Amino acid sequence: EVQLVESGGGLVKPGGSLRLSCAASGFTFSSYSMNWVRQAPGKGLEWVSSISSSSSYIYYADSVKGRFTISRDNAKNSLYLQMNSLRAEDTAVYYCARDLDYGDYWGQGTLVTVSS
Amino acid sequence: EIVLTQSPATLSLSPGERATLSCRASQSVSSYLAWYQQKPGQAPRLLIYDASNRATGIPARFSGSGSGTDFTLTISSLEPEDFAVYYCQQRSNWPPPWTFGQGTKVEIK
């Protein structure tokens, strides 16, 4: 059974940092691109970042470029999102999603709240 | 960057009725479009991919159609569990690889 489990969310002050993790199981993690998608409270879905299976291709939304870094460890079946210089508008539930051109599997999400 | 516009924002229907949701792209996305369902407190669930293919385990009452810039998700007869928010998403070989529409809420009338 495919499972994606996010962790690392929490309350952080503006300008602070957080590192999100996504633990994958039930499939060959190293064969798939992965994505982070976020959803602000009461709002729609916003794609944040993508990483290819071997980390050769990495993309970011303009809203997070220069502040967020996506990475993965295929040996540990894990995906990461390092978030620096956090802003109030980064407050959202962050989902990791497997990329089969579309998001065929999603984690349950982890809430990031940026507030003083 | 391709923009996806969904309509209507809210659809008020009764169980058993037919639901028709629209997604329009600002430029052609060929058939590279998906539909997701999201219920409160849950992650999105893939319903339709490549415009018209049902994902694994999705009931036959869900169908997708369209190509180019105009796409439709149809729910032939609404079940109580179908009341949710629906998003379209396009995939691209150029960044950004994923773009979502703003969503359509299907609510009980």
Side-chain angles (χ1 to χ4, degrees):
Chain A
E1 179 194 4
V2 172
Q3 280 199 318
L4 297 169
V5 179
E6 301 95 337
S7 60
L11 175 63
V12 62
K13 289 182 169 51
S17 299
L18 273 180
R19 188 194 197 207
L20 305 184
S21 299
C22 171
S25 61
F27 66 102
T28 304
F29 180 72
S30 59
S31 296
Y32 291 85
S33 294
M34 298 293 294
N35 290 267
W36 288 99
V37 175
R38 68 184 180 183
Q39 186 169 37
K43 302 297 185 183
L45 301 171
E46 179 189 16
W47 171 79
V48 172
S49 183
S50 296
I51 185 167
S52 62
S53 58
S54 60
S55 304
S56 298
Y57 300 96
I58 288 175
Y59 304 108
Y60 298 98
D62 287 344
S63 56
V64 307
K65 202 172 294 182
R67 300 187 298 121
F68 290 12
T69 302
I70 191 173
S71 63
R72 64 191 296 161
D73 185 334
N74 288 341
K76 294 183 178 180
N77 291 336
S78 293
L79 174 72
Y80 306 102
L81 186 68
Q82 176 67 43
M83 304 187 297
N84 298 331
S85 303
L86 282 161
R87 307 166 179 167
E89 54 265 35
D90 296 318
T91 294
V93 174
Y94 285 74
Y95 297 100
C96 63
R98 191 174 81 166
D99 188 338
L100 201 63
D101 291 332
Y102 308 102
D104 63 341
Y105 286 95
W106 297 61
Q108 85 289 349
T110 187
L111 176 62
V112 172
T113 303
V114 183
S115 175
S116 54
Chain B
E1 179 178 332
I2 295 173
V3 176
L4 299 178
T5 302
Q6 292 186 240
S7 61
T10 304
L11 200 50
S12 299
L13 295 168
S14 300
E17 290 193 292
R18 182 184 189 90
T20 303
L21 289 66
S22 174
C23 177
R24 178 163 290 177
S26 58
Q27 59 186 278
S28 176
V29 298
S30 185
S31 294
Y32 300 137
L33 190 104
W35 291 92
Y36 298 85
Q37 177 193 67
Q38 188 180 35
K39 297 178 182 178
Q42 296 185 16
R45 177 174 72 143
L46 180 65
L47 299 175
I48 302 288
Y49 65 94
D50 287 343
S52 61
N53 297 296
R54 274 190 302 277
T56 303
I58 301 304
R61 64 181 182 273
F62 291 93
S63 63
S65 63
S67 66
T69 61
D70 290 295
F71 300 86
T72 301
L73 173 69
T74 302
I75 310 171
S76 59
S77 178
L78 283 163
E79 296 288 339
E81 62 268 27
D82 298 337
F83 292 92
V85 179
Y86 293 83
Y87 294 94
C88 59
Q89 176 237 321
Q90 68 92 19
R91 69 169 183 91
S92 173
N93 291 329
W94 301 101
W98 287 3
T99 306
F100 293 93
Q102 81 279 18
T104 290
K105 182 179 182 180
V106 178
E107 65 176 22
I108 300 176
K109 186 174 182 180

